Amino acid sequence: MSNALGNHILVEFMGCDPHIMNDVSSIERDMVDAALKAGATVINSTFHHFSPYGVSGVVVIQESHLAIHTWPEYGYAAVDLFTCGEMDAWISFDYLKEQFGAKNYSALEMKRGAVNLLTRLDIDLSSMRTKAAEWVNPEMYTRNVWFTDKDENQALSLRYTGEVFYDVQSPFQRVRILESPKYGKMLTLDDMFMTTEADEFHYHEMISHPALFTHGNAKNILVIGGGDGGTVREILRHDGVEKVTMVEIDGEVIKACKEHLPSIAAAFDNPKLDLIVGDGIAHIKQAPAEAYDIIIVDGSDPVGPAEGLFSVEFYRNCYNALKPGGILVAQGESPKFNEHAFTELNVTLQHIFGKDNAPVSLFYVPTYPTGMWSFQYGLKDGRHPKSVQETEAIDNFVSTKGLRYYNADIHHASFALPNFVKALINGK
Ligand code: SPD
Protein backbone atom coordinates (compact mmCIF):
# COMPACT_ATOMS: atom_id res chain seq x y z
CA MET A 1 0.00 0.00 0.00
CA SER A 2 3.06 2.26 0.19
CA ASN A 3 2.64 3.70 -3.35
CA ALA A 4 -1.10 4.48 -3.24
CA LEU A 5 -3.50 6.38 -1.01
CA GLY A 6 -6.19 3.76 -1.02
CA ASN A 7 -7.17 0.26 -2.02
CA HIS A 8 -10.44 -0.39 -3.82
CA ILE A 9 -11.99 -3.82 -4.25
CA LEU A 10 -14.93 -3.83 -6.66
CA VAL A 11 -16.98 -6.91 -5.99
CA GLU A 12 -19.72 -8.70 -7.91
CA PHE A 13 -21.71 -11.14 -5.77
CA MET A 14 -23.97 -13.37 -7.86
CA GLY A 15 -26.42 -16.14 -7.03
CA CYS A 16 -27.14 -14.51 -3.65
CA ASP A 17 -30.22 -15.28 -1.58
CA PRO A 18 -32.86 -12.86 -3.00
CA HIS A 19 -34.58 -12.47 0.38
CA ILE A 20 -31.35 -11.34 1.99
CA MET A 21 -30.74 -8.99 -0.96
CA ASN A 22 -34.05 -7.28 -0.15
CA ASP A 23 -33.66 -7.12 3.63
CA VAL A 24 -32.30 -3.68 4.41
CA SER A 25 -31.77 -4.37 8.14
CA SER A 26 -29.82 -7.55 7.65
CA ILE A 27 -27.72 -6.02 4.85
CA GLU A 28 -26.85 -3.05 7.04
CA ARG A 29 -25.92 -5.37 9.89
CA ASP A 30 -23.80 -7.54 7.58
CA MET A 31 -22.00 -4.55 6.07
CA VAL A 32 -21.27 -3.04 9.49
CA ASP A 33 -20.09 -6.42 10.80
CA ALA A 34 -17.94 -6.89 7.69
CA ALA A 35 -16.20 -3.62 8.52
CA LEU A 36 -15.78 -4.50 12.19
CA LYS A 37 -14.42 -7.97 11.44
CA ALA A 38 -11.70 -6.40 9.33
CA GLY A 39 -10.77 -4.17 12.25
CA ALA A 40 -12.30 -0.97 10.85
CA THR A 41 -13.68 1.80 13.02
CA VAL A 42 -17.29 2.40 12.02
CA ILE A 43 -18.32 6.06 11.95
CA ASN A 44 -21.83 5.83 10.58
CA SER A 45 -24.04 3.87 8.25
CA THR A 46 -27.02 4.77 6.13
CA PHE A 47 -29.14 2.29 4.20
CA HIS A 48 -32.22 2.63 2.09
CA HIS A 49 -34.79 0.13 0.85
CA PHE A 50 -36.26 0.87 -2.56
CA SER A 51 -39.81 0.08 -3.50
CA PRO A 52 -40.63 -2.59 -4.53
CA TYR A 53 -37.18 -4.08 -4.01
CA GLY A 54 -33.48 -3.35 -3.79
CA VAL A 55 -31.20 -1.87 -1.19
CA SER A 56 -28.46 0.76 -1.31
CA GLY A 57 -26.25 1.74 1.54
CA VAL A 58 -22.91 2.85 2.76
CA VAL A 59 -20.88 2.28 5.89
CA VAL A 60 -18.50 5.15 6.54
CA ILE A 61 -15.42 3.93 8.35
CA GLN A 62 -12.38 5.70 9.68
CA GLU A 63 -10.48 3.88 6.92
CA SER A 64 -12.89 5.09 4.12
CA HIS A 65 -16.13 3.25 3.21
CA LEU A 66 -17.98 0.09 2.25
CA ALA A 67 -20.91 0.51 -0.15
CA ILE A 68 -23.53 -1.78 -1.66
CA HIS A 69 -26.33 -1.80 -4.23
CA THR A 70 -28.51 -4.89 -4.58
CA TRP A 71 -30.84 -6.27 -7.23
CA PRO A 72 -32.79 -9.02 -5.40
CA GLU A 73 -34.53 -10.06 -8.63
CA TYR A 74 -31.10 -11.08 -10.00
CA GLY A 75 -29.68 -12.32 -6.69
CA TYR A 76 -26.96 -9.75 -7.32
CA ALA A 77 -25.01 -7.27 -5.21
CA ALA A 78 -22.44 -4.73 -6.37
CA VAL A 79 -20.13 -3.98 -3.47
CA ASP A 80 -17.30 -1.47 -3.11
CA LEU A 81 -14.71 -1.97 -0.40
CA PHE A 82 -12.60 1.15 -0.31
CA THR A 83 -9.93 1.29 2.38
CA CYS A 84 -6.86 3.22 3.40
CA GLY A 85 -4.08 2.13 5.67
CA GLU A 86 -3.42 -1.39 6.86
CA MET A 87 -6.98 -2.69 6.92
CA ASP A 88 -7.43 -6.00 5.08
CA ALA A 89 -10.68 -5.57 3.12
CA TRP A 90 -10.53 -9.18 1.95
CA ILE A 91 -11.74 -10.15 5.42
CA SER A 92 -14.87 -8.08 4.73
CA PHE A 93 -15.17 -9.71 1.32
CA ASP A 94 -15.05 -13.26 2.77
CA TYR A 95 -17.59 -12.38 5.44
CA LEU A 96 -20.09 -10.85 3.00
CA LYS A 97 -19.74 -13.77 0.59
CA GLU A 98 -20.84 -16.10 3.41
CA GLN A 99 -23.61 -13.86 4.73
CA PHE A 100 -25.17 -13.26 1.30
CA GLY A 101 -24.90 -16.93 0.30
CA ALA A 102 -23.18 -15.89 -2.95
CA LYS A 103 -22.77 -18.82 -5.33
CA ASN A 104 -20.45 -16.90 -7.68
CA TYR A 105 -18.37 -13.82 -7.36
CA SER A 106 -15.67 -11.78 -8.94
CA ALA A 107 -13.46 -9.10 -7.52
CA LEU A 108 -11.22 -6.49 -9.05
CA GLU A 109 -8.63 -4.88 -6.79
CA MET A 110 -7.34 -1.44 -7.71
CA LYS A 111 -4.89 0.89 -6.05
CA ARG A 112 -6.39 4.37 -5.80
CA GLY A 113 -4.40 7.59 -5.76
CA ALA A 114 -1.05 6.38 -7.10
CA VAL A 115 1.35 8.62 -5.22
CA ASN A 116 3.85 8.87 -8.08
CA LEU A 117 1.12 10.40 -10.26
CA LEU A 118 0.05 12.98 -7.70
CA THR A 119 1.68 16.24 -6.68
CA ARG A 120 1.51 17.08 -3.03
CA LEU A 121 0.18 20.63 -2.62
CA ASP A 122 2.09 23.17 -0.67
CA ILE A 123 -0.66 24.13 1.77
CA ASP A 124 -0.64 24.70 5.49
CA LEU A 125 -2.21 21.51 6.81
CA SER A 126 -1.88 22.52 10.44
CA SER A 127 -4.23 25.52 9.95
CA MET A 128 -6.65 23.16 8.21
CA ARG A 129 -6.60 20.96 11.28
CA THR A 130 -7.32 23.90 13.59
CA LYS A 131 -10.20 25.01 11.39
CA ALA A 132 -11.64 21.51 11.37
CA ALA A 133 -11.52 21.36 15.16
CA GLU A 134 -13.42 24.66 15.35
CA TRP A 135 -16.17 23.46 13.04
CA VAL A 136 -17.09 20.30 14.97
CA ASN A 137 -19.50 18.99 12.40
CA PRO A 138 -21.10 22.23 11.16
CA GLU A 139 -23.72 20.21 9.30
CA MET A 140 -24.89 18.55 12.45
CA TYR A 141 -28.41 19.93 12.40
CA THR A 142 -28.97 19.75 8.67
CA ARG A 143 -27.87 16.20 7.91
CA ASN A 144 -30.62 13.89 6.87
CA VAL A 145 -29.82 10.64 8.64
CA TRP A 146 -32.59 8.65 10.27
CA PHE A 147 -32.77 5.84 12.78
CA THR A 148 -35.74 3.56 12.24
CA ASP A 149 -37.31 1.08 14.66
CA LYS A 150 -39.65 -1.12 12.68
CA ASP A 151 -41.33 -4.41 11.96
CA GLU A 152 -42.37 -5.54 8.48
CA ASN A 153 -45.28 -3.09 8.30
CA GLN A 154 -44.80 -0.26 10.74
CA ALA A 155 -41.98 2.02 11.77
CA LEU A 156 -40.94 4.95 13.87
CA SER A 157 -38.06 7.09 12.62
CA LEU A 158 -36.16 9.86 14.30
CA ARG A 159 -33.70 12.07 12.54
CA TYR A 160 -30.33 12.05 14.21
CA THR A 161 -27.50 14.47 13.87
CA GLY A 162 -25.00 11.96 12.55
CA GLU A 163 -23.02 12.17 15.78
CA VAL A 164 -22.24 8.66 17.01
CA PHE A 165 -21.10 8.81 20.63
CA TYR A 166 -20.85 5.08 21.19
CA ASP A 167 -21.03 2.13 18.84
CA VAL A 168 -19.98 -1.24 20.17
CA GLN A 169 -21.01 -4.72 19.13
CA SER A 170 -21.26 -6.49 22.47
CA PRO A 171 -21.61 -10.28 22.73
CA PHE A 172 -25.38 -9.69 22.85
CA GLN A 173 -26.25 -6.74 20.63
CA ARG A 174 -25.11 -3.56 18.93
CA VAL A 175 -25.07 -0.82 21.55
CA ARG A 176 -25.21 2.73 20.25
CA ILE A 177 -25.61 6.22 21.63
CA LEU A 178 -26.77 8.61 18.92
CA GLU A 179 -28.04 12.15 19.10
CA SER A 180 -31.39 13.33 17.84
CA PRO A 181 -32.21 17.05 17.48
CA LYS A 182 -35.69 16.47 18.91
CA TYR A 183 -35.05 13.98 21.74
CA GLY A 184 -31.40 14.53 22.68
CA LYS A 185 -29.04 11.63 23.11
CA MET A 186 -30.57 8.21 22.74
CA LEU A 187 -29.67 4.62 23.50
CA THR A 188 -30.38 2.11 20.74
CA LEU A 189 -29.90 -1.67 20.89
CA ASP A 190 -29.59 -3.30 17.48
CA ASP A 191 -32.30 -1.55 15.46
CA MET A 192 -34.52 -0.55 18.38
CA PHE A 193 -34.97 2.60 20.41
CA MET A 194 -34.49 1.99 24.12
CA THR A 195 -34.52 5.39 25.69
CA THR A 196 -33.90 9.05 24.95
CA GLU A 197 -32.94 11.97 27.15
CA ALA A 198 -36.13 13.85 26.33
CA ASP A 199 -38.80 11.22 26.99
CA GLU A 200 -37.14 8.64 29.26
CA PHE A 201 -39.13 9.90 32.24
CA HIS A 202 -42.39 8.61 30.75
CA TYR A 203 -41.06 5.07 30.87
CA HIS A 204 -38.97 5.15 34.04
CA GLU A 205 -41.54 6.89 36.22
CA MET A 206 -44.28 4.54 35.04
CA ILE A 207 -42.32 1.32 35.45
CA SER A 208 -41.57 2.10 39.09
CA HIS A 209 -43.88 4.47 41.00
CA PRO A 210 -47.27 2.79 40.41
CA ALA A 211 -45.86 -0.47 41.79
CA LEU A 212 -44.12 1.17 44.73
CA PHE A 213 -47.24 3.12 45.75
CA THR A 214 -49.42 0.05 45.28
CA HIS A 215 -47.16 -2.04 47.50
CA GLY A 216 -46.76 0.71 50.06
CA ASN A 217 -43.86 -0.82 51.98
CA ALA A 218 -41.32 -2.19 49.51
CA LYS A 219 -37.86 -2.62 50.99
CA ASN A 220 -36.12 -5.17 48.82
CA ILE A 221 -36.45 -4.80 45.05
CA LEU A 222 -34.99 -6.72 42.12
CA VAL A 223 -34.55 -5.14 38.69
CA ILE A 224 -33.78 -7.41 35.76
CA GLY A 225 -32.34 -5.50 32.80
CA GLY A 226 -32.60 -1.73 33.02
CA GLY A 227 -28.97 -1.18 32.03
CA ASP A 228 -29.45 2.53 31.31
CA GLY A 229 -30.11 3.06 35.04
CA GLY A 230 -33.37 5.03 34.74
CA THR A 231 -35.47 2.48 36.61
CA VAL A 232 -33.16 2.22 39.62
CA ARG A 233 -32.89 6.02 39.69
CA GLU A 234 -36.67 6.24 40.11
CA ILE A 235 -36.92 3.39 42.66
CA LEU A 236 -34.25 4.96 44.82
CA ARG A 237 -36.30 8.14 45.13
CA HIS A 238 -38.38 6.18 47.69
CA ASP A 239 -36.70 6.54 51.07
CA GLY A 240 -38.23 3.33 52.46
CA VAL A 241 -36.41 1.17 49.92
CA GLU A 242 -33.49 -0.53 51.64
CA LYS A 243 -31.93 -2.53 48.84
CA VAL A 244 -32.13 -2.73 45.07
CA THR A 245 -30.45 -5.58 43.22
CA MET A 246 -30.07 -4.94 39.51
CA VAL A 247 -29.01 -7.71 37.12
CA GLU A 248 -28.13 -6.49 33.62
CA ILE A 249 -26.73 -8.95 31.11
CA ASP A 250 -24.84 -6.46 28.96
CA GLY A 251 -22.08 -4.46 30.64
CA GLU A 252 -21.68 -2.40 27.45
CA VAL A 253 -25.13 -0.86 27.99
CA ILE A 254 -24.16 0.27 31.49
CA LYS A 255 -20.83 1.62 30.25
CA ALA A 256 -22.40 3.51 27.33
CA CYS A 257 -25.04 5.11 29.54
CA LYS A 258 -22.67 6.03 32.34
CA GLU A 259 -20.46 7.80 29.81
CA HIS A 260 -23.10 9.46 27.64
CA LEU A 261 -26.45 9.50 29.46
CA PRO A 262 -25.44 10.57 32.99
CA SER A 263 -28.84 12.08 33.78
CA ILE A 264 -30.39 8.63 33.31
CA ALA A 265 -27.52 6.61 34.76
CA ALA A 266 -27.63 8.81 37.84
CA ALA A 267 -27.98 6.26 40.64
CA PHE A 268 -25.33 3.68 39.86
CA ASP A 269 -23.23 4.90 42.80
CA ASN A 270 -26.07 4.70 45.32
CA PRO A 271 -24.94 2.49 48.24
CA LYS A 272 -28.35 0.77 48.33
CA LEU A 273 -27.73 -0.62 44.85
CA ASP A 274 -26.15 -4.01 44.25
CA LEU A 275 -25.29 -3.93 40.55
CA ILE A 276 -24.64 -7.31 38.95
CA VAL A 277 -23.56 -7.76 35.33
CA GLY A 278 -25.02 -11.17 34.63
CA ASP A 279 -27.93 -13.20 33.37
CA GLY A 280 -31.20 -12.18 35.03
CA ILE A 281 -32.88 -15.39 33.92
CA ALA A 282 -30.28 -17.50 35.75
CA HIS A 283 -30.42 -15.12 38.74
CA ILE A 284 -34.15 -15.55 39.24
CA LYS A 285 -33.89 -19.30 38.78
CA GLN A 286 -31.53 -19.50 41.74
CA ALA A 287 -33.16 -16.79 43.86
CA PRO A 288 -34.41 -17.87 47.29
CA ALA A 289 -38.19 -18.17 47.65
CA GLU A 290 -40.03 -15.06 48.85
CA ALA A 291 -36.96 -12.83 48.65
CA TYR A 292 -38.31 -9.68 47.02
CA ASP A 293 -41.15 -7.21 47.59
CA ILE A 294 -41.10 -6.06 43.97
CA ILE A 295 -39.50 -7.48 40.84
CA ILE A 296 -39.21 -5.18 37.83
CA VAL A 297 -38.36 -6.64 34.43
CA ASP A 298 -36.98 -3.75 32.40
CA GLY A 299 -35.99 -5.74 29.34
CA SER A 300 -35.94 -5.00 25.66
CA ASP A 301 -38.16 -6.58 23.04
CA PRO A 302 -38.50 -10.37 22.77
CA VAL A 303 -35.63 -10.87 20.34
CA GLY A 304 -31.98 -11.57 21.17
CA PRO A 305 -30.96 -11.53 24.83
CA ALA A 306 -34.44 -10.53 26.07
CA GLU A 307 -36.30 -13.45 24.50
CA GLY A 308 -36.17 -15.52 27.69
CA LEU A 309 -37.80 -12.65 29.60
CA PHE A 310 -41.10 -13.60 27.99
CA SER A 311 -41.19 -17.29 28.97
CA VAL A 312 -43.53 -19.09 31.35
CA GLU A 313 -40.62 -20.58 33.29
CA PHE A 314 -39.09 -17.16 33.89
CA TYR A 315 -42.33 -15.74 35.31
CA ARG A 316 -42.92 -18.83 37.44
CA ASN A 317 -39.49 -18.25 38.96
CA CYS A 318 -40.37 -14.58 39.53
CA TYR A 319 -43.57 -15.63 41.29
CA ASN A 320 -41.62 -17.91 43.63
CA ALA A 321 -39.07 -15.19 44.38
CA LEU A 322 -41.77 -12.68 45.39
CA LYS A 323 -42.88 -12.31 48.98
CA PRO A 324 -46.62 -12.68 49.66
CA GLY A 325 -48.17 -9.35 48.67
CA GLY A 326 -45.30 -8.86 46.22
CA ILE A 327 -45.63 -7.23 42.81
CA LEU A 328 -44.07 -8.07 39.48
CA VAL A 329 -43.88 -5.38 36.77
CA ALA A 330 -42.70 -6.28 33.29
CA GLN A 331 -42.04 -4.22 30.19
CA GLY A 332 -45.17 -5.36 28.39
CA GLU A 333 -44.72 -4.35 24.73
CA SER A 334 -47.37 -2.53 22.71
CA PRO A 335 -50.91 -3.63 21.89
CA LYS A 336 -50.55 -1.74 18.61
CA PHE A 337 -47.04 -2.78 17.58
CA ASN A 338 -46.21 -6.17 19.09
CA GLU A 339 -49.78 -7.31 19.60
CA HIS A 340 -48.79 -10.96 19.81
CA ALA A 341 -46.05 -10.50 22.43
CA PHE A 342 -48.35 -8.17 24.39
CA THR A 343 -51.18 -10.70 24.48
CA GLU A 344 -49.01 -13.75 25.12
CA LEU A 345 -47.31 -12.07 28.06
CA ASN A 346 -50.67 -11.36 29.65
CA VAL A 347 -51.79 -14.94 29.08
CA THR A 348 -48.62 -16.08 30.88
CA LEU A 349 -49.12 -13.69 33.80
CA GLN A 350 -52.81 -14.60 34.19
CA HIS A 351 -51.81 -18.25 34.16
CA ILE A 352 -49.20 -17.83 36.90
CA PHE A 353 -50.64 -15.08 39.10
CA GLY A 354 -54.35 -15.67 38.47
CA LYS A 355 -56.85 -14.13 36.08
CA ASP A 356 -57.62 -11.06 38.19
CA ASN A 357 -54.02 -10.54 39.26
CA ALA A 358 -52.48 -9.55 35.93
CA PRO A 359 -53.47 -5.91 35.37
CA VAL A 360 -52.03 -3.87 32.52
CA SER A 361 -51.07 -0.20 32.56
CA LEU A 362 -50.77 1.83 29.39
CA PHE A 363 -48.64 4.89 28.95
CA TYR A 364 -47.37 7.03 26.13
CA VAL A 365 -43.79 6.96 24.76
CA PRO A 366 -43.24 9.14 21.68
CA THR A 367 -40.05 7.30 20.70
CA TYR A 368 -41.44 3.75 20.56
CA PRO A 369 -43.30 2.65 17.43
CA THR A 370 -47.01 3.64 17.71
CA GLY A 371 -46.31 5.56 20.93
CA MET A 372 -48.66 3.29 22.91
CA TRP A 373 -46.78 1.05 25.34
CA SER A 374 -47.54 -1.09 28.37
CA PHE A 375 -46.33 -2.45 31.66
CA GLN A 376 -47.85 -5.71 32.76
CA TYR A 377 -48.28 -6.73 36.39
CA GLY A 378 -48.37 -9.91 38.41
CA LEU A 379 -49.90 -9.45 41.88
CA LYS A 380 -49.02 -12.14 44.41
CA ASP A 381 -52.14 -11.77 46.52
CA GLY A 382 -51.47 -8.08 47.05
CA ARG A 383 -53.86 -5.19 46.58
CA HIS A 384 -54.85 -4.07 43.10
CA PRO A 385 -53.19 -0.85 41.82
CA LYS A 386 -56.67 0.55 41.11
CA SER A 387 -57.52 0.41 44.82
CA VAL A 388 -54.73 2.82 45.76
CA GLN A 389 -56.25 5.80 47.63
CA GLU A 390 -53.16 7.65 48.85
CA THR A 391 -53.67 10.62 46.56
CA GLU A 392 -52.10 13.11 48.93
CA ALA A 393 -48.99 11.01 49.56
CA ILE A 394 -48.53 10.50 45.83
CA ASP A 395 -48.96 14.17 45.02
CA ASN A 396 -46.54 15.21 47.76
CA PHE A 397 -43.98 12.74 46.43
CA VAL A 398 -44.53 13.97 42.87
CA SER A 399 -43.91 17.59 43.78
CA THR A 400 -41.00 16.94 46.17
CA LYS A 401 -39.20 14.75 43.65
CA GLY A 402 -40.13 16.86 40.63
CA LEU A 403 -41.73 14.03 38.66
CA ARG A 404 -42.87 14.91 35.16
CA TYR A 405 -45.22 12.08 34.13
CA TYR A 406 -46.58 10.12 37.09
CA ASN A 407 -49.20 11.58 39.44
CA ALA A 408 -52.24 10.29 41.35
CA ASP A 409 -54.58 10.79 38.37
CA ILE A 410 -52.20 9.02 35.99
CA HIS A 411 -51.81 6.17 38.49
CA HIS A 412 -55.50 5.31 38.10
CA ALA A 413 -55.90 6.38 34.49
CA SER A 414 -53.10 4.16 33.27
CA PHE A 415 -55.00 1.03 34.36
CA ALA A 416 -58.12 2.07 32.41
CA LEU A 417 -57.97 0.18 29.14
CA PRO A 418 -59.55 0.83 25.76
CA ASN A 419 -62.02 -1.83 24.67
CA PHE A 420 -59.75 -3.25 22.00
CA VAL A 421 -57.02 -3.85 24.61
CA LYS A 422 -59.51 -5.46 27.00
CA ALA A 423 -60.54 -7.74 24.16
CA LEU A 424 -56.91 -8.69 23.50
CA ILE A 425 -56.24 -9.75 27.06
CA ASN A 426 -59.63 -11.19 27.93
CA GLY A 427 -60.21 -12.89 24.63
CA LYS A 428 -57.96 -15.87 25.33
N1 SPD B 1 -39.09 -1.27 22.15
C1 SPD B 1 -38.58 -0.87 23.42
C2 SPD B 1 -38.95 -1.75 24.54
C3 SPD B 1 -38.55 -1.22 25.87
C4 SPD B 1 -37.20 -1.59 26.26
N2 SPD B 1 -36.78 -1.16 27.56
C5 SPD B 1 -36.28 0.13 27.60
C6 SPD B 1 -35.25 0.31 28.64
C7 SPD B 1 -35.45 1.54 29.39
N3 SPD B 1 -34.87 1.48 30.67
Side-chain angles (χ1 to χ4, degrees):
M1 178 57 61
S2 53
N3 57 352
L5 299 178
N7 190 44
H8 197 166
I9 308 177
L10 293 101
V11 185
E12 306 273 275
F13 283 131
M14 290 156 292
C16 301
D17 182 328
H19 299 289
I20 296 176
M21 292 297 93
N22 201 35
D23 183 339
V24 65
S25 306
S26 96
I27 290 177
E28 179 169 11
R29 196 170 50 241
D30 290 342
M31 292 288 285
V32 168
D33 285 347
L36 293 173
K37 280 184 192 299
T41 303
V42 174
I43 307 289
N44 199 0
S45 63
T46 180
F47 281 74
H48 180 76
H49 180 256
F50 294 98
S51 185
Y53 31 68
V55 170
S56 283
V58 60
V59 183
V60 178
I61 55 179
Q62 194 84 48
E63 298 79 3
S64 232
H65 69 264
L66 311 185
I68 187 167
H69 309 279
T70 73
W71 283 259
E73 68 275 33
Y74 293 103
Y76 168 71
V79 173
D80 288 357
L81 309 172
F82 192 116
T83 56
C84 305
E86 296 309 310
M87 175 182 161
D88 181 0
W90 288 106
I91 296 174
S92 306
F93 169 86
D94 287 337
Y95 180 75
L96 291 172
K97 178 163 58 95
E98 287 300 310
Q99 294 303 111
F100 296 166
K103 294 199 178 64
N104 295 301
Y105 53 85
S106 72
L108 173 68
E109 186 171 20
M110 297 172 66
K111 301 294 172 202
R112 300 294 300 272
V115 175
N116 58 351
L117 299 177
L118 297 170
T119 310
R120 198 179 167 98
L121 303 175
D122 187 20
I123 56 164
D124 179 5
L125 285 173
S126 62
S127 74
M128 206 182 250
R129 219 170 271 138
T130 319
K131 264 265 166 289
E134 281 165 13
W135 286 340
V136 192
N137 190 3
E139 306 252 297
M140 169 160 182
Y141 292 102
T142 55
R143 289 168 75 179
N144 196 25
V145 282
W146 293 77
F147 185 94
T148 298
D149 186 338
K150 65 174 172 38
D151 66 12
E152 314 74 51
N153 302 310
Q154 228 181 150
L156 180 107
S157 291
L158 289 185
R159 190 160 73 81
Y160 71 101
T161 60
E163 293 293 300
V164 179
F165 293 91
Y166 199 91
D167 187 354
V168 169
Q169 180 67 44
S170 81
F172 305 101
Q173 54 212 343
R174 185 174 180 196
V175 181
R176 277 184 284 181
I177 305 278
L178 310 172
E179 187 180 40
S180 121
K182 180 77 184 169
Y183 289 94
K185 285 196 194 137
M186 51 199 192
L187 167 71
T188 63
L189 297 181
D190 291 333
D191 298 322
M192 295 168 288
F193 290 113
M194 287 297 125
T195 199
T196 76
E197 282 178 320
D199 74 345
E200 56 89 8
F201 63 95
H202 297 222
Y203 183 100
H204 294 123
E205 291 184 17
M206 290 305 288
I207 198 172
S208 50
H209 303 309
L212 274 123
F213 276 104
T214 300
H215 188 285
N217 191 27
K219 296 189 181 332
N220 194 10
I221 298 182
L222 172 67
V223 177
I224 293 179
D228 51 64
T231 298
V232 294
R233 182 198 63 199
E234 291 305 312
I235 293 169
L236 287 163
R237 292 191 198 279
H238 293 257
D239 295 335
V241 171
E242 291 173 358
K243 183 173 180 194
V244 182
T245 305
M246 176 180 146
V247 189
E248 163 61 52
I249 199 165
D250 196 341
E252 284 299 336
V253 175
I254 299 171
K255 185 164 174 277
C257 296
K258 273 185 169 173
E259 280 173 24
H260 300 287
L261 294 171
S263 62
I264 303 176
F268 280 132
D269 293 331
N270 191 306
K272 291 180 179 175
L273 177 67
D274 179 14
L275 177 58
I276 300 169
V277 177
D279 182 356
I281 297 169
H283 182 92
I284 200 72
K285 204 171 182 172
Q286 291 148 12
E290 303 188 356
Y292 299 107
D293 297 304
I294 295 179
I295 297 175
I296 294 182
V297 184
D298 182 7
S300 50
D301 305 288
V303 285
E307 209 170 335
L309 301 180
F310 288 78
S311 76
V312 174
E313 190 198 349
F314 173 73
Y315 285 105
R316 192 164 283 129
N317 293 333
C318 288
Y319 181 91
N320 293 336
L322 278 174
K323 290 182 184 165
I327 299 176
L328 169 104
V329 186
Q331 186 279 103
E333 298 298 320
S334 166
K336 277 297 200 191
F337 187 59
N338 326 62
E339 187 178 314
H340 181 71
F342 171 84
T343 310
E344 286 305 304
L345 178 58
N346 202 257
V347 169
T348 301
L349 294 174
Q350 286 190 31
H351 174 65
I352 293 167
F353 287 84
K355 187 166 175 358
D356 298 327
N357 293 324
V360 169
S361 85
L362 292 180
F363 66 108
Y364 180 65
V365 189
T367 58
Y368 290 169
T370 75
M372 183 187 236
W373 219 260
S374 78
F375 291 121
Q376 302 207 26
Y377 287 66
L379 311 171
K380 191 171 179 179
D381 305 322
R383 68 170 171 163
H384 195 286
K386 278 185 180 171
S387 68
V388 166
Q389 299 293 337
E390 296 85 337
T391 306
E392 211 180 312
I394 293 176
D395 286 340
N396 279 341
F397 181 87
V398 165
S399 61
T400 320
K401 306 293 179 185
L403 301 191
R404 289 181 290 161
Y405 194 100
Y406 177 73
N407 59 39
D409 290 340
I410 287 284
H411 179 107
H412 288 276
S414 75
F415 291 93
L417 303 179
N419 296 338
F420 84 92
V421 178
K422 286 186 182 175
L424 284 176
I425 61 180
N426 295 329
K428 294 216 165 185

